[in-house]
Amino acid sequence: MVAGTMAAGTMLAGVPALAADPVKIGLILPMSGPFASTGKQIEAAVRLYQQVNGDSVAGRKVEVIVKDDTGVAPDMTKRLAQELVVKEKVSVLAGFGLTPLALSAAPVSEQAKTPMIVMAAASSVITTKSPYILRTSGTLPQSAATIAQWAAKNGATKMYSMVTDYGPGIDAETVFKTRFAASGGSVVGDVRIPLKNPDYGPFMQRAKDTAPDAIFAFVPSGEGASFMKEFAERGLAKAGVRLLATGDVTDDDILPAMGDAAIGTVTAHYYSAAHPSPENKAYVEAFRKANGGLRPNFMSVGGWDGMHLVYEVLRKTGGKADGDSFVAAAKGMSWTSPRGPVAIDADTRDIVQDIYLRKVERQDGELFNVEFDKVAAVKDPGKGG
């Protein structure tokens, strides 16, 4: 009886043939290569979302098709996006581990009018490259602005900036310098580290030689362990230099293995596995149970919330997934995530979220990013937020 009612309603809507069609999500992720941890975390969260919430919504089954772009070849990402749209007939493109990869797929999204949900890549500019792009991860300026203001209020007057040399790093550097200077601080030096095959040692020594109060740092998810190792080995902490960073540096996926060198590091970011909310406690427990004890990181929550956005949009549209309907329904949408309250900015299609100040501490024998303060409802400063 319910099925018959749904079918009749669909015929009245004028799309009887599409009602039973699945909503296909083309999930493009680095499942291999140097950034494979990003792909692993996002795919695990996407699978968990469907395990918890089912694989159907608004009368349509939701199918996920995963493609590995290896994380280093924008041309491959673009080709995969084209194949997913043309051959697989996906309704939504999603994933995108790094900024260059997301930017390469943006023209495909725009030309095909296919919604594109960025679950990881963090440069401000991404959502401006197609009117069909939405983001459920975060931007580097959100974290960089927050840590800059905290640093200036907490004893840092001379800082050295160290960022990876690509879109998010340049965003982070620019916003950090601007906000730190506006708060009365001084950046005494800076360096941009190559994205491919970085050797952090010489750059760390150069920073130490300038005798700053603290270092501001950003490196991509998965690179934090190497960065932290060189910070310790070059003796910066012993020289009285504090490490203040975006949350990518103390990524929850690799933090447990960093050792005592990470203790005391202060970061600003939008998610910690130690976030003390009922929603997050349930999320962490379910994620670990489904993935052999693996701790979820901030990339995972971008995947979880990306799926939540898809499901809620489909509920709102009654199952319609064309680009214009999808984006119109997503604009202004808000919900409670494992990370806390989030919303999709109606003007920029970017995420609005709380940014937390955290310090690495040992709890119950494990290292965690323990939150001690927050700035609520942060819009992307890279777009004037």
Side-chain angles (χ1 to χ4, degrees):
M1 184 64 181
V2 175
T5 303
M6 287 180 61
T10 303
M11 291 178 69
L12 289 172
V15 285
L18 295 180
D21 290 350
V23 175
K24 295 182 180 180
I25 300 174
L27 192 62
I28 305 177
L29 294 170
M31 300 304 298
S32 60
F35 305 105
S37 66
T38 292
K40 174 184 65 177
Q41 286 273 347
I42 293 176
E43 184 190 19
V46 167
R47 301 297 186 195
L48 178 63
Y49 191 90
Q50 291 201 293
Q51 178 183 320
V52 172
N53 295 282
D55 63 0
S56 297
V57 61
R60 299 185 68 178
K61 187 172 182 179
V62 179
E63 294 182 2
V64 177
I65 303 169
V66 178
K67 297 291 185 179
D68 178 15
D69 65 3
T70 74
V72 295
D75 288 346
M76 179 185 294
T77 305
K78 184 175 184 179
R79 176 176 58 78
L80 291 173
Q82 290 169 330
E83 291 176 357
L84 284 164
V85 169
V86 175
K87 294 182 181 179
E88 301 285 356
K89 308 295 184 186
V90 299
S91 300
V92 179
L93 292 167
F96 308 104
L98 282 84
T99 289
L101 312 180
L103 292 177
S104 73
V108 179
S109 163
E110 182 169 21
Q111 291 162 15
K113 297 184 178 182
T114 299
M116 176 174 156
I117 300 176
V118 176
M119 297 174 168
S123 289
S124 288
V125 72
I126 292 171
T127 56
T128 71
K129 295 303 181 181
S130 164
Y132 298 97
I133 295 178
L134 304 126
R135 179 160 23 207
T136 57
S137 51
T139 73
L140 258 300
Q142 287 176 312
S143 297
T146 302
I147 197 67
Q149 291 165 332
W150 184 88
K153 293 176 182 177
N154 288 272
T157 58
K158 300 188 303 178
M159 291 196 65
Y160 192 97
S161 172
M162 301 182 70
V163 302
T164 301
D165 190 11
Y166 76 122
I170 295 168
D171 276 1
E173 175 191 80
T174 301
V175 171
F176 178 84
K177 285 182 175 180
T178 300
R179 294 296 177 95
F180 190 59
S183 299
S186 173
V187 176
V188 296
D190 60 74
V191 66
R192 295 178 181 176
I193 302 164
L195 176 62
K196 295 182 179 180
N197 305 313
D199 179 1
Y200 296 109
F203 298 112
M204 206 69 73
Q205 186 61 50
R206 190 186 309 175
K208 183 181 179 182
D209 291 343
T210 66
D213 301 318
I215 286 177
F216 164 70
F218 158 75
V219 296
S221 176
E223 283 291 315
S226 298
F227 184 91
M228 193 70 70
K229 178 175 180 288
E230 290 296 337
F231 182 85
E233 290 187 354
R234 297 283 170 161
L236 278 89
K238 292 179 180 178
V241 181
R242 289 186 292 167
L243 180 57
L244 311 179
T246 63
D248 315 70
V249 175
T250 57
D251 177 354
D252 272 297
D253 195 15
I254 58 176
L255 180 59
M258 285 188 182
D260 289 350
I263 293 175
T265 300
V266 174
T267 58
H269 213 45
Y270 56 82
Y271 178 71
S272 167
H275 179 61
S277 72
E279 293 83 5
N280 188 53
K281 288 177 181 177
Y283 175 65
V284 172
E285 182 179 355
F287 191 96
R288 285 187 136 166
K289 183 177 180 180
N291 294 282
L294 179 68
R295 181 193 294 186
N297 72 353
F298 68 98
M299 293 296 185
S300 81
V301 85
W304 175 272
D305 284 329
M307 289 298 288
H308 183 84
L309 182 63
V310 171
Y311 276 50
E312 292 306 306
V313 164
L314 292 174
R315 287 192 178 96
K316 189 173 179 179
T317 63
K320 292 176 66 177
D322 65 278
D324 292 322
S325 297
F326 193 102
V327 172
K331 287 181 176 180
M333 188 171 282
S334 62
W335 64 95
T336 300
S337 160
R339 71 184 99 176
V342 298
I344 301 298
D345 188 298
D347 295 322
T348 66
R349 289 163 282 106
D350 228 322
I351 195 163
V352 181
Q353 59 189 333
D354 295 350
I355 301 296
Y356 303 92
L357 279 307
R358 309 99 51 84
K359 182 182 287 187
V360 176
E361 298 178 3
R362 193 175 292 281
Q363 292 187 343
D364 299 323
E366 288 189 86
L367 295 179
F368 285 97
N369 293 296
V370 179
E371 296 165 5
F372 62 87
D373 202 356
K374 73 175 181 181
V375 179
V378 178
K379 293 187 177 183
D380 174 28
K383 300 185 183 68

